[in-house]
Amino acid sequence: MKRKEQYQDFHDFIIEGTMLCLEKYTINELPLTEVCKKAGVSRMTVYRHFKNKEEVVLEYFELIYDKFLKELLELESINSLILSEKLVGLFVEQEEEIEKAVKGNYYSLIFQVFAQKMTIFL
């Protein structure tokens, strides 16, 4: 496996491990040792990839919203009705993640990423 691919794999494992742990913990309570166990990486590896837990969550939602915006840009035409329908669809798809974010006390991070991405889009 190439070094770049391994780096990306570890990066993805950390994101997945963090999001799994957030099913049990709030973001403030989340122990890094738990993330390391779920991700199968060391503490040092986590810190090589991310500054903090919030950065992991931000990246997770950036990927989701980037995909959503890419789909919007691929539409032949878009108006306020189509945009509204697509946004409702996104929020329905993300219902569990949003509920988890409210319980885990990191919903403001979701809003931050969403607002940033929509500002760029509009």
Side-chain angles (χ1 to χ4, degrees):
M1 183 180 293
K2 294 180 182 176
R3 198 166 183 82
K4 189 174 183 179
E5 289 171 352
Q6 185 180 31
Y7 181 89
Q8 187 60 51
D9 286 346
F10 287 154
H11 199 81
D12 295 343
F13 295 155
I14 295 165
I15 292 172
E16 290 171 26
T18 301
M19 297 313 293
L20 284 171
C21 290
L22 284 170
E23 292 175 5
K24 184 177 177 182
Y25 300 97
T26 68
I27 197 158
N28 296 329
E29 299 169 334
L30 180 62
L32 187 57
T33 53
E34 208 48 42
V35 171
C36 293
K37 281 182 198 175
K38 290 278 186 205
V41 299
S42 69
R43 291 176 73 88
M44 196 62 187
T45 301
V46 173
Y47 286 120
R48 280 189 198 118
H49 289 261
F50 299 98
K51 293 177 192 168
N52 53 45
K53 298 174 276 193
E54 290 80 7
E55 190 176 270
V56 179
V57 173
L58 287 170
E59 184 164 328
Y60 175 76
F61 285 100
E62 281 180 11
L63 295 170
I64 291 170
Y65 295 138
D66 283 345
K67 180 181 174 217
F68 172 71
L69 292 178
K70 183 177 182 240
E71 291 170 6
L72 285 181
L73 291 171
E74 290 173 352
L75 295 173
E76 287 182 26
S77 66
I78 191 163
N79 58 37
S80 57
L81 178 61
I82 293 170
L83 181 58
S84 298
E85 289 173 351
K86 294 291 185 183
L87 285 169
V88 168
L90 173 68
F91 293 132
V92 167
E93 275 179 28
Q94 290 298 304
E95 181 180 8
E96 286 182 33
E97 289 292 344
I98 293 169
E99 285 178 12
K100 189 168 74 170
V102 170
K103 289 178 187 172
N105 201 28
Y106 58 91
Y107 55 88
S108 62
L109 294 174
I110 294 176
F111 180 74
Q112 178 184 337
V113 173
F114 180 75
Q116 195 175 50
K117 296 296 179 177
M118 288 308 292
T119 300
I120 292 167
F121 175 74
L122 296 173

